[in-house]
Amino acid sequence: MTGFLKSREALLIGVILVLLVLIASRFAGFVAPDNLARVFNDTSPLLILALGQTVVILTRCIDLSVAANLALTGMVCAMLNAAYPGVPVVVILALALGMGAVMGAVNGVMVWKLSIPPIVVTLGTMTIYRGIIFVISGGEWVNSHEMSAAFTGFPRAMILGLPVLSWIAILVAAVFFTMIARTPLGRAFYAVGGNPNASVYTGLDVGKTQFWAFVLSGTLAGLTGYLWVARYSVAYVDIAGGFELEVVAACVIGGISIAGGAGTVLGAILGALFLGIVKNALPVVGISPFWQLAISGAAIVIAVAFNARSGRAKGRIILKKAEGLA
């Protein structure tokens, strides 16, 4: 218990609680249960993408194409629904998951087999995916009147007081908690990111592990693509433009180390919730939402600096122990 109280997650919980108190002092209705449920629902796409990004960053990689993956998948799903309104939602979901997985696999193969730096790969595919959206859509929008009621209604359907979108985010979080803690793949993500050279001697394939991290990230991006366009009932070229910054920010704020091998699923969730609360609170406290990107960027810099400082402190402790043993 004492260890948890000193952890990054406990600090984030404290910061979030203080933030809610400060917001409530200006607008008490913000912390009402119904409004907090709406805030969580608004944050669900970010939370889902942050969990996918977490496993990528744990392996010392980064996926900057998640928002473009989301946008391309969402546009294809919207166009399919507009052309064939009778296609069942389960088929749309399967298509979204499959498309996202393929795009994630493309990133993973180039990092694994071609040894291209992840940031270069995903910057390139980000641009390619955005370009494909323009080509297939001709720059045209797919609007709500072109979408079927079943298509747009699925993420909004209420179950036990929460929309399906929120339940999907909760389910994804539960799956990732289990995967990271209970499966060999989850342990491999940490091992590969913590020490790639040592991982090879334990029989782990570093490139293959990174490949599966990209596939997971891409799959969740594809899923979020359908949920996004269905919830907002619109699809266009610039869907989720710049959203990859928020996804990375959520991970870093949650304590996922850019150097790889360190961080928790809970931390990523708390990082996403922190940004979600900030985003929804800005209009309430009279701050322009256009400050959101600046706040996200500042949060990344502060979090990286905090992580680096913590890492140096641990290094000094290890050196002191070694000197004592000598």
Side-chain angles (χ1 to χ4, degrees):
M1 183 63 180
T2 303
F4 176 76
L5 293 176
K6 295 180 180 179
S7 68
R8 179 64 165 270
E9 291 78 9
L11 174 63
L12 260 176
I13 291 172
V15 170
I16 289 172
L17 290 176
V18 169
L19 182 61
L20 288 174
V21 170
L22 291 175
I23 297 168
S25 67
R26 295 284 299 273
F27 181 65
F30 189 87
V31 295
D34 287 348
N35 190 66
L36 290 179
R38 283 192 290 271
V39 171
F40 179 79
N41 194 55
D42 286 342
T43 309
S44 291
L46 175 60
L47 192 155
I48 294 170
L49 291 179
L51 289 172
Q53 188 76 250
T54 292
V55 294
V56 174
I57 295 177
L58 284 176
T59 63
R60 294 194 177 188
C61 296
I62 193 165
D63 187 355
L64 298 178
S65 68
V66 287
N69 182 329
L70 177 163
L72 177 53
T73 305
M75 176 60 80
V76 170
C77 290
M79 291 177 69
L80 175 64
N81 178 252
Y84 304 99
V87 173
V89 171
V90 66
V91 174
I92 299 289
L93 283 169
L95 173 66
L97 291 167
M99 280 191 63
V102 168
M103 284 187 274
V106 169
N107 291 333
V109 166
M110 287 193 283
V111 170
W112 177 20
K113 296 297 185 181
L114 303 181
S115 300
I116 305 174
I119 192 169
V120 175
V121 169
T122 55
L123 275 173
T125 54
M126 175 181 70
T127 306
I128 291 169
Y129 298 157
R130 290 285 181 188
I132 292 173
I133 299 171
F134 187 85
V135 170
I136 64 174
S137 68
E140 298 293 330
W141 291 33
V142 180
N143 295 300
S144 58
H145 68 274
E146 301 173 83
M147 300 178 183
S148 69
F151 181 88
T152 58
F154 177 74
R156 305 176 187 180
M158 301 296 289
I159 300 176
L160 299 177
L162 284 177
V164 166
L165 174 58
S166 294
W167 284 113
I168 290 176
I170 293 169
L171 177 61
V172 170
V175 169
F176 269 67
F177 268 117
T178 303
M179 180 191 69
I180 292 294
R182 303 290 182 182
T183 67
L185 182 60
R187 292 188 289 271
F189 291 143
Y190 282 99
V192 165
N195 194 326
N197 296 324
S199 298
V200 173
Y201 292 107
T202 63
L204 290 175
D205 187 325
V206 174
K208 189 175 182 179
T209 303
Q210 292 172 334
F211 167 81
W212 285 115
F214 277 108
V215 170
L216 281 172
S217 177
T219 301
L220 292 183
L223 171 64
T224 308
Y226 160 64
L227 296 173
W228 186 294
V229 298
R231 182 179 182 233
Y232 294 109
S233 301
V234 66
Y236 53 96
V237 174
D238 293 325
I239 296 173
F243 200 59
E244 58 277 344
L245 173 63
E246 287 188 53
V247 175
V248 174
C251 294
V252 175
I253 291 169
I256 311 299
S257 174
I258 293 295
T264 65
V265 170
L266 177 60
I269 292 171
L270 292 172
L273 291 176
F274 172 80
L275 289 179
I277 291 170
V278 169
K279 177 181 178 180
N280 282 272
L282 290 180
V284 173
V285 296
I287 300 175
S288 170
F290 292 106
W291 278 98
Q292 184 184 344
L293 285 177
I295 292 171
S296 298
I300 290 176
V301 173
I302 294 169
V304 169
F306 183 87
N307 290 344
R309 186 177 179 84
S310 298
R312 287 197 299 270
K314 290 177 182 177
R316 286 195 291 270
I317 291 170
I318 291 171
L319 287 172
K320 287 178 181 178
K321 288 182 179 178
E323 290 172 359
L325 292 173

